[in-house]
Amino acid sequence: MTAINDVTTLEKEGGIAVVTLNSPPVNALSAPVREGITNGIKQAIDDPDVKAIVLICEGKTFIAGADITEFGKAPKGPSLFDAQAMIENAPKPVVAAIHGTALGGGLEVALTCHYRVAVPSAKCGLPEVNLGLLPGAGGTQRLPRIVGPEKALEMVTTGQHVGAKKCLEMGLVDELAEEGKLREGAVAFANKIVAEKRPLKKVRDLNDKVEAARGKPEIFANIRKANARKFRGFLAPEYNIQCIEAAVNLPFDEGIKVEQKLFRELVTGTQSAAQRHVFFAERQVWKLPDVPADTPIIPVNKVGIIGAGTMGGGIAMNFLNVGLPVTIVETKQDALDRGLGVIRKNYENSAKKGRFPMEEVEKRMGLLTGSLDMNDLADCDLVIEAVFENMDVKKDVFGKLDKIVKQGAILATNTSALNIDEIATAVKRPEAVIGLHFFSPANVMRLLEVVRADKTSKSVIATSMQIARKIGKIAALVGVCPGFVGNRILAQRQREAQKLIMEGAMPWDVDRVLYDFGLPMGPFAMSDLAGLDIGWNKEKSKGETLRDRLCEMDRRGQKTGAGYYDYDENRNAKPSPVVEKMILDYAAEKGINRRKISDDEILERCIYPMINEGAKILEEGKAIRSSDIDIVWINGYGFPVYRGGPMFYGDTVGADKVLAKMKEFQATMGDDFKPAALLEKIVAEGKKFSDF
Ligand code: 3H9
């Protein structure tokens, strides 16, 4: 065996040279890997005894793409194009041997090989779109030449990973090797093509599929139309489509030029920077500096839930979905029946939509037990309380649980705002108490805020994070403070939105600006959807707030056909003249001189105080790192991924600009805009939020 460099070896098996890459964790195309490929293939070409070459990887995967950490840095070593040219122009067949995932630049390398062999468990994909990019190493020009433009469009715009069997059907893979015997399979395949004198198949020269799509612009129009909502605001999906259009309409080398130009634009832009930030943030969020990896985990084999309402039911589904038995406790039979009925209905609807077979409904329901007796939770390993948001009620529940549930179990609350340290005083084992703040609908929303209280044990934290992963959530560990991280930041935006409509804007102005910024909906549309009467009390309502007045008129949101907006029978919203008048009257009563408010002011007043609050959260140590706040807001509130979350957006704008605006607002509008000490510090030290 010859070492080509630290990450590459060359070995000969008869007339076949095997070039092996070994660069953990995912064999990304770093400078040494590119050098290893270029030099390894060259040596094999130069060796007259070698008849064919196999390119294979050690570790858990084939090349998983370009090294994302290299983007934005000065290029080093041979380029990816040098490595690819060495392969594609080799006078001997080169076979890619694929296991794990061949993704992005990894698949693009495989596409310059003359043949591809994979094990059945392998997957191939061009997921660049999820990083705000497009495949920039020929992927958009080669993939449609093998699989056809329609399938290529689907792959590049979704970033989906396609299983090896499907790849074989699509012609992306030439042969499947036996699982666990990739190297033998690939070498045998290489020997076979040498014996059969098969040609050096260059994907770039295949033209029939792209030519067949020429003059059919509807292929592209259709995908744009079908995904208009999903692609809204993102640059990368459109750029990927334009590249496939170029593959169809231009010769290969011209198409590559288009790909290069658009790739450069994306890779240097703010959207891709934001999406790459999110990629790493999603992995960082699991890392807990003071909870070591070897912290003992509490086995969770049975889950108890108190409360079969919307929240409790949704939470239960998460555990049933992964095969964990759940006992759900209610106080009244009809509430229990209703709760269990909703869960069943949700599952039946999913089965009808084809998400899983009908038998699965019974399987999941079979894991669910309803009860009116808290004693039935005695042997649960994790109990989650999801009752009414009232401190006395919660403390009462925890006091009872303390007496019933076995020692060593986790006692969790789903409170979204109450002080968990205080809840923990109701038990003799505060170390067992933690917050598991699910977002509604709890079976759908990806975010889980894991809220550590003062006395929560590390074991309970580590287990909660692990269980979150098991049920497919993305969990952020946060500390106890009003609203925790997500709602605490939300409160800033809600306050400003309300003030803005008093001072001069209308609800639809505020909503439009925030929607255009990329949020799924603005604060007023959101209130209408949720229902304006949440927490509103009919008896006590005296028309003191705008909300009181709307609810008193029975304008309680979408469900009553009117709220901040008027709704037609299809729930389409229209600005409401009634609300407009109500706002003008209200402002007049309060002596507010309304003024014209610009879109810029709306955006800055809604978003900058959120960033400022994020800085306070960091300075108080209620979030571990700035990127965790981004994760919370992207996954819990739909903050646009292409802006990287509120804190990354703060860095994009510049902390200095955020601070200057906060000071300007503070001078005219008071201490709602008082800058966080950490914001001042970041600016004084010339740092970024992402440094924290
Ligand atoms: C591209 O290829 C552009 C080209 O078209 C053009 C170029 C000119 N780079 O996810 P995991 C790290 S763009 C650097 O936990 P899993 C990751 O951060 C790229 N680092 O493992 C983590 O580090 P840590 C297109 C990377 O088993 C560790 O590896 N490719 C990269 O759950 C383990 O990762 C993609 O978008 C990378 N490319 O999943 C694929 N990938 O341990 C991105 C991973 O310090 N990668 N790391 O936290 C993935 O989707 C998953 O990592 C994969 C494994 C499915 C491969």
Side-chain angles (χ1 to χ4, degrees), residues 260-532:
Q260 283 297 292
K261 177 177 170 288
L262 296 181
F263 179 81
R264 255 194 313 276
E265 216 179 289
L266 289 178
V267 80
T268 52
T270 52
Q271 288 206 354
S272 176
Q275 289 179 252
R276 283 170 354 234
H277 160 77
V278 175
F279 176 86
F280 290 112
E282 281 180 348
R283 284 154 180 83
Q284 278 287 309
V285 76
W286 300 100
K287 296 179 183 155
L288 314 178
D290 73 331
V291 182
D294 59 355
T295 304
I297 296 292
I298 301 161
V300 175
N301 298 312
K302 188 174 171 194
V303 179
I305 290 169
I306 306 179
T310 314
M311 215 54 208
I315 295 172
M317 289 175 74
N318 286 293
F319 297 99
L320 301 173
N321 294 349
V322 296
L324 276 174
V326 175
T327 298
I328 194 160
V329 175
E330 253 300 344
T331 47
K332 298 222 168 57
Q333 188 66 47
D334 59 340
L336 182 62
D337 292 344
R338 209 173 323 125
L340 299 183
V342 170
I343 296 178
R344 172 175 284 283
K345 202 160 183 131
N346 284 341
Y347 279 143
E348 283 171 356
N349 286 342
S350 296
K352 274 184 208 145
K353 284 185 194 145
R355 296 217 179 101
F356 44 72
M358 257 314 170
E359 310 87 83
E360 192 59 31
V361 177
E362 292 316 318
K363 203 166 135 208
R364 295 187 194 189
M365 288 308 289
L367 292 168
L368 179 62
T369 311
S371 166
L372 297 175
D373 184 358
M374 261 192 2
N375 286 303
D376 288 341
L377 302 179
D379 62 343
C380 287
D381 307 298
L382 162 67
V383 178
I384 305 171
E385 158 282 305
V387 302
F388 189 59
E389 284 280 84
N390 173 294
M391 182 56 85
D392 293 337
V393 178
K394 302 241 183 210
K395 279 166 95 170
D396 180 58
V397 167
F398 271 78
K400 287 182 182 139
L401 285 177
D402 199 24
K403 295 196 182 75
I404 293 169
V405 182
K406 70 179 181 191
Q407 290 299 318
I410 300 175
L411 305 180
T413 169
N414 177 52
T415 182
S416 58
L418 297 176
N419 184 335
I420 301 175
D421 289 318
E422 192 180 337
I423 296 177
T425 60
V427 300
K428 292 202 189 73
R429 39 174 152 162
E431 70 284 356
V433 177
I434 195 160
L436 293 181
H437 179 209
F438 289 82
F439 286 68
S440 188
N443 52 320
V444 177
M445 295 292 289
R446 225 179 136 214
L447 179 67
L448 182 68
E449 278 184 328
V450 174
V451 193
R452 79 194 289 174
D454 270 352
K455 296 193 176 138
T456 312
S457 78
K458 292 189 177 171
S459 235
V460 167
I461 295 172
T463 307
S464 298
M465 296 298 281
Q466 201 195 56
I467 200 92
R469 214 193 256 273
K470 182 167 180 176
I471 61 175
K473 300 287 176 200
I474 186 153
L477 182 66
V478 304
V480 175
C481 56
F484 311 129
V485 167
N487 284 342
R488 176 169 165 180
I489 289 178
L490 177 68
Q492 296 293 316
R493 187 192 78 183
Q494 298 303 82
R495 184 198 62 225
E496 286 312 307
Q498 285 295 338
K499 279 161 59 185
L500 282 162
I501 61 170
M502 284 301 122
E503 291 168 27
M506 281 293 154
W508 30 96
D509 299 324
V510 177
D511 282 356
R512 175 182 44 79
V513 170
L514 290 176
Y515 179 82
D516 288 348
F517 178 74
L519 282 151
M521 62 180 81
F524 298 100
M526 191 178 95
S527 298
D528 274 0
L529 180 67
L532 297 181

Side-chain angles (χ1 to χ4, degrees), residues 517-520 607 610 633-635 637-641 643-646 649:
F517 178 74
L519 282 151
I607 305 284
M610 291 170 57
W633 258 76
I634 287 171
N635 294 285
Y637 303 83
F639 201 92
V641 180
R643 298 203 191 268
Y649 179 67

Side-chain angles (χ1 to χ4, degrees), residues 51 117 338 518:
K51 304 282 177 266
V117 172
R338 209 173 323 125

Side-chain angles (χ1 to χ4, degrees), residues 24-29 60-71 80-81 84 100-108 125-131 133-139 161 259-260 263 267 276 279-280 282-284 287 469:
V26 296
N27 292 308
L29 289 159
K60 64 178 182 182
T61 180
F62 189 75
I63 304 163
D67 184 343
I68 307 168
T69 59
E70 277 188 357
F71 291 139
L80 186 48
F81 297 99
Q84 287 179 302
T101 44
L103 298 178
L107 181 58
E108 292 176 292
L126 293 176
E128 282 87 344
V129 71
N130 297 325
L131 297 169
L133 293 173
L134 55 87
H161 300 180
E259 183 190 271
Q260 283 297 292
F263 179 81
V267 80
R276 283 170 354 234
F279 176 86
F280 290 112
E282 281 180 348
R283 284 154 180 83
Q284 278 287 309
K287 296 179 183 155
R469 214 193 256 273

Side-chain angles (χ1 to χ4, degrees), residues 79-95:
S79 76
L80 186 48
F81 297 99
D82 295 338
Q84 287 179 302
M86 188 62 77
I87 297 173
E88 195 166 53
N89 299 328
K92 308 168 182 180
V94 184
V95 178

